[in-house]
Amino acid sequence: YILPSARRFEIHPVGGLPPIRGSISNDCLERVVKDNGEVLPNIIGSKRIVRLRVREIRGLKYQARKSYLLLSINDEIPNEEPRGPGG
């Protein structure tokens, strides 16, 4: 999902990995949101290649965690056709 007013996103990686949540860069937000605040069609629910900035945050008393910033949403990944025996 993308929440433009809150500048937040959630991505579900291919392969069943846990969802990634974080904030959206201004540049990326301008590219995926219309002037009226709606997300462009074919962004939500599609498989895409994205670029993220990942930072590991460590504290003396806290367990390390990762912070994610969505930098860009790129090309759509086509659905793979099922292959027969032998590839």
Side-chain angles (χ1 to χ4, degrees), residues 10-21 47 50 52 66 68:
E10 179 176 297
I11 294 174
H12 295 263
V14 175
L17 296 172
I20 296 172
R21 296 176 186 94
K47 292 181 183 179
V50 299
L52 297 169
K66 292 185 179 177
Y68 299 94

Side-chain angles (χ1 to χ4, degrees), residues 5-39:
S5 59
R7 296 185 49 215
R8 305 290 298 167
F9 75 89
E10 179 176 297
I11 294 174
H12 295 263
V14 175
L17 296 172
I20 296 172
R21 296 176 186 94
S23 57
I24 305 172
S25 70
N26 289 333
D27 197 37
C28 181
L29 195 61
E30 289 174 3
R31 291 186 179 137
V32 299
V33 176
K34 297 178 187 179
D35 290 335
N36 64 2
E38 291 182 25
V39 177

Side-chain angles (χ1 to χ4, degrees), residues 33-58:
V33 176
K34 297 178 187 179
D35 290 335
N36 64 2
E38 291 182 25
V39 177
L40 294 173
N42 299 322
I43 296 288
I44 305 296
S46 63
K47 292 181 183 179
R48 298 270 176 170
I49 297 172
V50 299
R51 205 174 80 184
L52 297 169
R53 179 185 305 152
V54 182
R55 300 171 105 185
E56 188 166 327
I57 301 168
R58 299 176 185 205

Side-chain angles (χ1 to χ4, degrees), residues 63-81:
Q63 182 177 2
R65 66 179 183 90
K66 292 185 179 177
S67 169
Y68 299 94
L69 178 65
L70 181 60
L71 299 174
S72 65
I73 299 175
N74 300 317
D75 299 332
E76 188 170 1
I77 300 172
N79 288 328
E80 291 187 15
E81 294 294 323

